[in-house]
PDB file of all heavy atoms in Angstrom:
ATOM      1  N   SER A 403      45.721-151.261   1.551  1.00 71.00           N
ATOM      2  CA  SER A 403      44.493-151.457   2.333  1.00 71.00           C
ATOM      3  C   SER A 403      44.767-152.147   3.659  1.00 71.00           C
ATOM      4  O   SER A 403      44.153-151.825   4.678  1.00 71.00           O
ATOM      5  CB  SER A 403      43.478-152.264   1.515  1.00 71.00           C
ATOM      6  OG  SER A 403      44.015-153.528   1.162  1.00 71.00           O
ATOM      7  N   VAL A 404      45.698-153.103   3.684  1.00 78.00           N
ATOM      8  CA  VAL A 404      45.974-153.839   4.918  1.00 78.00           C
ATOM      9  C   VAL A 404      46.594-152.918   5.963  1.00 78.00           C
ATOM     10  O   VAL A 404      46.126-152.854   7.107  1.00 78.00           O
ATOM     11  CB  VAL A 404      46.895-155.045   4.643  1.00 78.00           C
ATOM     12  CG1 VAL A 404      47.294-155.716   5.962  1.00 78.00           C
ATOM     13  CG2 VAL A 404      46.199-156.057   3.744  1.00 78.00           C
ATOM     14  N   SER A 405      47.658-152.200   5.599  1.00 78.00           N
ATOM     15  CA  SER A 405      48.311-151.322   6.568  1.00 78.00           C
ATOM     16  C   SER A 405      47.370-150.214   7.035  1.00 78.00           C
ATOM     17  O   SER A 405      47.327-149.875   8.222  1.00 78.00           O
ATOM     18  CB  SER A 405      49.587-150.717   5.973  1.00 78.00           C
ATOM     19  OG  SER A 405      49.340-150.106   4.732  1.00 78.00           O
ATOM     20  N   ARG A 406      46.584-149.668   6.115  1.00 79.00           N
ATOM     21  CA  ARG A 406      45.659-148.588   6.487  1.00 79.00           C
ATOM     22  C   ARG A 406      44.594-149.085   7.461  1.00 79.00           C
ATOM     23  O   ARG A 406      44.344-148.464   8.505  1.00 79.00           O
ATOM     24  CB  ARG A 406      45.011-148.013   5.232  1.00 79.00           C
ATOM     25  CG  ARG A 406      44.068-146.845   5.509  1.00 79.00           C
ATOM     26  CD  ARG A 406      43.507-146.258   4.236  1.00 79.00           C
ATOM     27  NE  ARG A 406      42.764-147.251   3.455  1.00 79.00           N
ATOM     28  CZ  ARG A 406      43.169-147.781   2.317  1.00 79.00           C
ATOM     29  NH1 ARG A 406      44.352-147.429   1.804  1.00 79.00           N
ATOM     30  NH2 ARG A 406      42.434-148.659   1.676  1.00 79.00           N
ATOM     31  N   GLU A 407      43.956-150.211   7.140  1.00 84.00           N
ATOM     32  CA  GLU A 407      42.893-150.721   8.000  1.00 84.00           C
ATOM     33  C   GLU A 407      43.432-151.212   9.331  1.00 84.00           C
ATOM     34  O   GLU A 407      42.785-151.050  10.377  1.00 84.00           O
ATOM     35  CB  GLU A 407      42.150-151.858   7.278  1.00 84.00           C
ATOM     36  CG  GLU A 407      41.313-151.402   6.104  1.00 84.00           C
ATOM     37  CD  GLU A 407      40.248-150.406   6.518  1.00 84.00           C
ATOM     38  OE1 GLU A 407      39.552-150.667   7.522  1.00 84.00           O
ATOM     39  OE2 GLU A 407      40.128-149.354   5.872  1.00 84.00           O
ATOM     40  N   LEU A 408      44.625-151.792   9.311  1.00 87.00           N
ATOM     41  CA  LEU A 408      45.204-152.283  10.560  1.00 87.00           C
ATOM     42  C   LEU A 408      45.479-151.138  11.519  1.00 87.00           C
ATOM     43  O   LEU A 408      45.233-151.245  12.725  1.00 87.00           O
ATOM     44  CB  LEU A 408      46.488-153.056  10.261  1.00 87.00           C
ATOM     45  CG  LEU A 408      47.085-153.848  11.427  1.00 87.00           C
ATOM     46  CD1 LEU A 408      46.102-154.880  11.944  1.00 87.00           C
ATOM     47  CD2 LEU A 408      48.378-154.521  10.992  1.00 87.00           C
ATOM     48  N   LEU A 409      45.973-150.019  11.006  1.00 86.00           N
ATOM     49  CA  LEU A 409      46.217-148.858  11.857  1.00 86.00           C
ATOM     50  C   LEU A 409      44.928-148.347  12.480  1.00 86.00           C
ATOM     51  O   LEU A 409      44.922-147.856  13.613  1.00 86.00           O
ATOM     52  CB  LEU A 409      46.886-147.745  11.052  1.00 86.00           C
ATOM     53  CG  LEU A 409      48.348-147.970  10.659  1.00 86.00           C
ATOM     54  CD1 LEU A 409      48.834-146.836   9.761  1.00 86.00           C
ATOM     55  CD2 LEU A 409      49.242-148.077  11.889  1.00 86.00           C
ATOM     56  N   HIS A 410      43.835-148.454  11.757  1.00 83.00           N
ATOM     57  CA  HIS A 410      42.556-147.957  12.260  1.00 83.00           C
ATOM     58  C   HIS A 410      41.946-148.875  13.309  1.00 83.00           C
ATOM     59  O   HIS A 410      41.179-148.409  14.161  1.00 83.00           O
ATOM     60  CB  HIS A 410      41.569-147.773  11.115  1.00 83.00           C
ATOM     61  CG  HIS A 410      41.724-146.477  10.381  1.00 83.00           C
ATOM     62  ND1 HIS A 410      41.172-145.300  10.821  1.00 83.00           N
ATOM     63  CD2 HIS A 410      42.397-146.162   9.246  1.00 83.00           C
ATOM     64  CE1 HIS A 410      41.487-144.321   9.996  1.00 83.00           C
ATOM     65  NE2 HIS A 410      42.225-144.818   9.025  1.00 83.00           N
ATOM     66  N   HIS A 411      42.272-150.158  13.260  1.00 80.00           N
ATOM     67  CA  HIS A 411      41.565-151.113  14.115  1.00 80.00           C
ATOM     68  C   HIS A 411      42.459-151.885  15.077  1.00 80.00           C
ATOM     69  O   HIS A 411      41.949-152.643  15.900  1.00 80.00           O
ATOM     70  CB  HIS A 411      40.795-152.112  13.244  1.00 80.00           C
ATOM     71  CG  HIS A 411      39.773-151.468  12.360  1.00 80.00           C
ATOM     72  ND1 HIS A 411      38.618-150.894  12.856  1.00 80.00           N
ATOM     73  CD2 HIS A 411      39.730-151.287  11.013  1.00 80.00           C
ATOM     74  CE1 HIS A 411      37.904-150.392  11.852  1.00 80.00           C
ATOM     75  NE2 HIS A 411      38.567-150.608  10.731  1.00 80.00           N
ATOM     76  N   ALA A 412      43.768-151.705  15.007  1.00 80.00           N
ATOM     77  CA  ALA A 412      44.676-152.489  15.847  1.00 80.00           C
ATOM     78  C   ALA A 412      44.512-152.138  17.323  1.00 80.00           C
ATOM     79  O   ALA A 412      44.205-151.003  17.687  1.00 80.00           O
ATOM     80  CB  ALA A 412      46.117-152.263  15.419  1.00 80.00           C
ATOM     81  N   THR A 413      44.720-153.126  18.170  1.00 83.00           N
ATOM     82  CA  THR A 413      44.684-152.934  19.624  1.00 83.00           C
ATOM     83  C   THR A 413      46.061-153.119  20.229  1.00 83.00           C
ATOM     84  O   THR A 413      46.203-153.134  21.454  1.00 83.00           O
ATOM     85  CB  THR A 413      43.693-153.912  20.271  1.00 83.00           C
ATOM     86  OG1 THR A 413      44.059-155.251  19.920  1.00 83.00           O
ATOM     87  CG2 THR A 413      42.272-153.649  19.790  1.00 83.00           C
ATOM     88  N   ALA A 414      47.074-153.299  19.390  1.00 88.00           N
ATOM     89  CA  ALA A 414      48.465-153.446  19.840  1.00 88.00           C
ATOM     90  C   ALA A 414      49.346-152.644  18.890  1.00 88.00           C
ATOM     91  O   ALA A 414      48.921-152.279  17.797  1.00 88.00           O
ATOM     92  CB  ALA A 414      48.861-154.925  19.852  1.00 88.00           C
ATOM     93  N   PRO A 415      50.583-152.329  19.295  1.00 94.00           N
ATOM     94  CA  PRO A 415      51.464-151.524  18.443  1.00 94.00           C
ATOM     95  C   PRO A 415      51.658-152.130  17.059  1.00 94.00           C
ATOM     96  O   PRO A 415      51.818-153.346  16.907  1.00 94.00           O
ATOM     97  CB  PRO A 415      52.779-151.491  19.232  1.00 94.00           C
ATOM     98  CG  PRO A 415      52.371-151.651  20.643  1.00 94.00           C
ATOM     99  CD  PRO A 415      51.215-152.603  20.619  1.00 94.00           C
ATOM    100  N   VAL A 416      51.673-151.264  16.045  1.00 94.00           N
ATOM    101  CA  VAL A 416      51.841-151.676  14.647  1.00 94.00           C
ATOM    102  C   VAL A 416      53.004-150.905  14.048  1.00 94.00           C
ATOM    103  O   VAL A 416      53.066-149.685  14.153  1.00 94.00           O
ATOM    104  CB  VAL A 416      50.566-151.413  13.829  1.00 94.00           C
ATOM    105  CG1 VAL A 416      50.801-151.715  12.337  1.00 94.00           C
ATOM    106  CG2 VAL A 416      49.397-152.225  14.350  1.00 94.00           C
ATOM    107  N   MET A 417      53.923-151.630  13.412  1.00 95.00           N
ATOM    108  CA  MET A 417      55.027-151.009  12.679  1.00 95.00           C
ATOM    109  C   MET A 417      54.704-151.035  11.185  1.00 95.00           C
ATOM    110  O   MET A 417      54.388-152.097  10.627  1.00 95.00           O
ATOM    111  CB  MET A 417      56.356-151.728  12.920  1.00 95.00           C
ATOM    112  CG  MET A 417      57.503-151.161  12.080  1.00 95.00           C
ATOM    113  SD  MET A 417      59.036-152.157  12.146  1.00 95.00           S
ATOM    114  CE  MET A 417      59.599-151.780  13.811  1.00 95.00           C
TER     115      MET A 417
END
Side-chain angles (χ1 to χ4, degrees):
S403 59
V404 174
S405 52
R406 182 177 59 251
E407 290 300 313
L408 191 59
L409 288 175
H410 277 277
H411 300 290
T413 57
V416 174
M417 176 189 288

